[in-house]
Amino acid sequence: MATKQASAPTPLTREKLIDLLNEDLSREYQAIIAYVNYSQVLKGAQYMNIADELAVHATEELAHAIALANHIDYLGGMPTVIPKPVKTSEKNEDMLRFDLENERVTIANYRRRIKQCDELNEFAIGESIREILMQEQDHLIALATALGIDPPNPGIAD
Ligand SMILES: [Fe+2]
Ligand SMILES: [Fe+2]
């Protein structure tokens, strides 16, 4: 029978941070693709403002992806080329909810990543992610507003 040891948390390394930043980069690609698709598939007069806003989000996510790829390269890693999967729907509310959930997960991860960057004394990368985080928070608020709900508290990733 396998004995489960109370494992001490494995110390964070630069290699681990590269892997985590590549996960973030995959999420940014996912966001770009989702916003490109949803900004055009959304239908109906009352959704045109948010559709325009989603097209702006797409360009901001692209800037985030480039920033992350820059940090990964600086750390000696290879920036990934693989996005996380993107859900599609023809229903306006589905698309907004998919985006809201993606932003929530992204924010929870960036909150953790800032702490991890600081832990490794990578303060400049942490600063860059703080700026990205501010925009993700704006995205979350825009989507929640369009859905007529309060912005969810994203929490912080493990
Ligand atoms: Fe982003
Ligand atoms: Fe975003």
Side-chain angles (χ1 to χ4, degrees):
M1 200 172 77
T3 53
K4 187 148 190 237
Q5 295 186 343
S7 54
T10 46
L12 185 63
T13 60
R14 282 167 79 89
E15 288 66 35
K16 179 70 184 165
L17 183 62
I18 290 168
D19 291 345
L20 292 167
L21 290 171
N22 262 324
E23 293 285 312
D24 297 330
L25 181 53
S26 289
R27 264 187 292 275
E28 292 292 351
Y29 293 148
Q30 173 194 52
I32 295 164
I33 295 166
Y35 281 128
V36 166
N37 178 282
Y38 303 167
S39 66
Q40 306 309 312
V41 176
L42 275 174
K43 296 287 183 298
Q46 74 272 37
Y47 286 97
M48 285 307 96
N49 281 349
I50 186 71
D52 288 347
E53 206 158 337
L54 298 195
V56 174
H57 290 186
T59 67
E60 290 171 342
E61 308 297 12
L62 175 59
H64 301 168
I66 291 171
L68 286 173
N70 176 264
H71 302 324
I72 291 162
D73 177 70
Y74 154 78
L75 289 169
M78 171 60 88
T80 186
V81 293
I82 300 171
K84 302 251 181 213
V86 180
K87 292 183 186 169
T88 57
S89 172
E90 307 249 338
K91 295 196 184 116
N92 292 331
E93 191 169 324
D94 283 355
M95 289 181 269
L96 295 176
R97 287 196 181 279
F98 295 156
D99 270 341
L100 184 78
E101 176 59 12
N102 289 346
E103 293 289 352
R104 191 193 65 73
V105 171
T106 293
I107 289 170
N109 274 280
Y110 282 143
R111 286 176 173 181
R112 174 64 62 199
R113 212 68 71 237
I114 290 164
K115 284 174 174 273
Q116 291 167 324
C117 289
D118 285 357
E119 188 183 327
L120 287 180
N121 298 329
E122 291 292 348
F123 301 116
I125 300 176
E127 197 63 30
S128 166
I129 295 176
R130 277 180 171 82
E131 283 178 22
I132 293 173
L133 179 58
M134 279 194 278
Q135 286 195 326
E136 308 296 16
Q137 208 150 298
D138 285 344
H139 296 169
L140 184 86
I141 293 166
L143 292 162
T145 303
L147 283 161
I149 61 173
D150 291 332
N153 179 353
I156 185 164
D158 293 334

